[in-house]
Amino acid sequence: MSNEVSAKLLDWYDRHARRLPWRAPPGRPPMDPYRVWLSEIMLQQTTVAAVAPYYEAFLTRWPTVADLAAAPQEAVLTAWAGLGYYARARNLHRCAQVVAAEHGGRFPDREAELRELPGIGAYTAAAVAAIAFGRRAVVVDGNVERVVARLFRVETPLPKAKGELKALAEGITPERRPGDFAQAMMDLGATVCLPRQPKCLLCPLQDLCRGHGDSVAQELPRRLPKAAKPTRHAVAFWLAGPEGALLLRRRPEKGLLGGMMEVPSTPWRESPWTPEEATAAAPLEAPWRALPGQVRHTFTHFHFAVEVWAATAVEAPDTAPAEGRWVALDRLDGEALPTVMRKIIDHGLKATAVPAPAGTADD
Ligand code: SF4
């Protein structure tokens, strides 16, 4: 069945491949490995639509891996802001530096060497080896797992089924055109073999697919029930300083949102903060007031609920408190602010906006 799967899938791909900015047309020489790698890192946990503008912006600013390697980390984090999973941006930058310094600016072409580079795991190494270098590599992401689980009717639940699914994917990966095959599997998973409602009638693998033949496709892959996500709580401190500038600080290099900018806050923990506890954690003594409402955000492993307290630094100090710095409100776009911090800032801006005096509004 393996040859039949790849032949049918490649034939389908030749006619239906998605046109993506980082992709060479079917059967054509591959794109520059830098582009393939950049797109694969950006696409982890993120949609094609969200990635496209970031991909173009990165390439315009840093057309080669050497350009990216020479950029300050701050600039890379700022350009990445909004894409999420910020460890990826730091690793992206480190990886570019290693490729520039230790590999003469050329990505290695084998999976094992690619895996030695920062931020490149099994999936990305296989994807770059197959797509950029035409090496036979087994590329398995969530989309591919779903297609394979259905095609072979794998009843073992994920994550236990991962090894089994990879072995089955290996069995259908061809020697010829492995890069196109990997991208064809991704496209099939993204456009036809959809998680909720697979479009089996449009599928080139329909007559080979056991899940479809046995009418269980939609139920696959099976999954062990997930543990409920906990909620973490924090109080963020909206401190207005000189000429309304906002106090921001940099998060520690290691850990969640490492190296990104933030509105100073209490630590994040699983019980809500009492006013006394939050006051003790504020960046300075001031008449803090709680703004109405709450900011909510969901990370991979927890929900986050944030109260925002506001105050004005009466005698605005020249140097900002709490190891932070003052940022003018019209300069916020130039900061490496992750999405959750943008939500907190939007909340603060709305809640602290001074209402226009009666009769002055534009009609
Ligand atoms: Fe997925 Fe249906 Fe195609 Fe099977 S036939 S691979 S379930 S879309």
Side-chain angles (χ1 to χ4, degrees):
M1 151 154 162
S2 61
N3 288 348
E4 239 182 310
V5 170
S6 58
K8 286 189 178 212
L9 198 60
L10 285 167
D11 184 50
W12 173 82
Y13 185 68
D14 287 341
R15 285 174 290 124
H16 297 285
R18 287 179 295 173
R19 287 175 169 266
L20 301 174
W22 44 84
R23 181 182 273 183
R28 302 290 295 278
M31 287 265 189
D32 171 6
Y34 170 59
R35 293 174 179 235
V36 175
W37 162 77
L38 182 64
S39 68
E40 287 299 337
I41 301 289
M42 287 185 164
L43 284 164
Q44 290 165 17
Q45 319 276 347
T46 313
T47 62
V48 163
V51 163
Y54 285 87
Y55 173 81
E56 301 288 2
F58 264 66
L59 276 185
T60 304
R61 196 156 168 196
W62 300 299
T64 68
V65 71
D67 296 324
L68 183 60
Q73 189 198 56
E74 173 71 24
V76 177
L77 289 177
T78 303
W80 190 276
L83 258 187
Y85 298 92
Y86 295 94
R88 287 185 300 163
R90 290 194 305 278
N91 281 331
L92 179 93
H93 190 226
R94 275 210 295 275
C95 181
Q97 290 175 329
V98 173
V99 171
E102 295 173 22
H103 296 271
R106 301 167 78 95
F107 278 86
D109 62 358
R110 290 174 194 276
E111 253 182 294
E113 288 167 79
L114 285 161
R115 280 204 71 171
E116 308 261 303
L117 295 170
I120 298 198
Y123 165 78
T124 309
V128 174
I131 299 169
F133 296 108
R135 300 248 172 227
R136 183 178 180 276
V138 187
V139 184
V140 183
D141 67 354
N143 277 334
V144 175
E145 281 179 346
R146 184 169 63 254
V147 173
V148 172
R150 289 170 172 173
L151 190 58
F152 293 95
R153 191 178 172 181
V154 174
E155 293 284 343
T156 318
L158 280 168
K160 204 172 153 211
K162 280 186 174 291
E164 189 179 347
L165 295 174
K166 181 148 191 190
L168 290 166
E170 153 101 58
I172 55 173
T173 301
E175 294 288 344
R176 204 176 64 86
R177 298 178 66 190
D180 280 351
F181 178 79
Q183 295 178 97
M185 287 290 274
M186 292 172 193
D187 279 16
L188 193 76
T191 63
V192 177
C193 195
L194 300 172
R196 275 173 239 258
Q197 288 188 318
K199 300 176 181 170
C200 300
L201 294 179
L202 301 178
C203 180
L205 307 181
Q206 191 192 142
D207 57 347
L208 301 173
C209 179
R210 283 197 55 201
H212 171 67
D214 298 345
S215 305
V216 292
Q218 207 159 323
E219 296 153 34
L220 299 173
R222 302 202 189 277
R223 291 175 195 279
L224 292 174
K226 280 190 188 155
K229 276 186 193 181
T231 298
R232 291 191 197 162
H233 301 263
V235 174
F237 300 102
W238 176 278
L239 186 62
E243 293 165 16
L246 184 65
L247 182 70
L248 296 182
R249 71 180 176 192
R250 183 172 302 287
R251 290 181 62 81
E253 276 295 311
K254 291 228 150 78
L256 189 70
L257 311 179
M260 303 293 286
M261 296 300 285
E262 69 171 359
V263 178
S265 75
T266 61
W268 305 5
R269 69 178 195 194
E270 292 198 6
S271 56
W273 291 76
T274 64
E276 294 73 28
E277 288 174 324
T279 303
L284 53 69
E285 271 185 45
W288 292 101
R289 66 190 169 96
L291 301 180
Q294 225 185 21
V295 174
R296 297 192 73 90
H297 188 75
T298 295
F299 290 95
T300 313
H301 300 295
F302 63 94
H303 300 294
F304 188 37
V306 192
E307 260 185 58
V308 183
W309 287 13
T312 302
V314 184
E315 290 171 25
D318 289 342
T319 46
E323 296 166 5
R325 62 183 161 84
W326 300 111
V327 178
L329 294 182
D330 60 0
R331 293 287 173 93
L332 288 169
D333 278 349
E335 297 293 330
L337 286 161
T339 303
V340 62
M341 293 302 151
R342 299 234 169 240
K343 283 189 187 174
I344 291 171
I345 288 171
D346 285 349
H347 184 81
L349 283 173
K350 277 190 202 128
T352 58
V354 181
T360 61
D362 291 341
D363 292 322

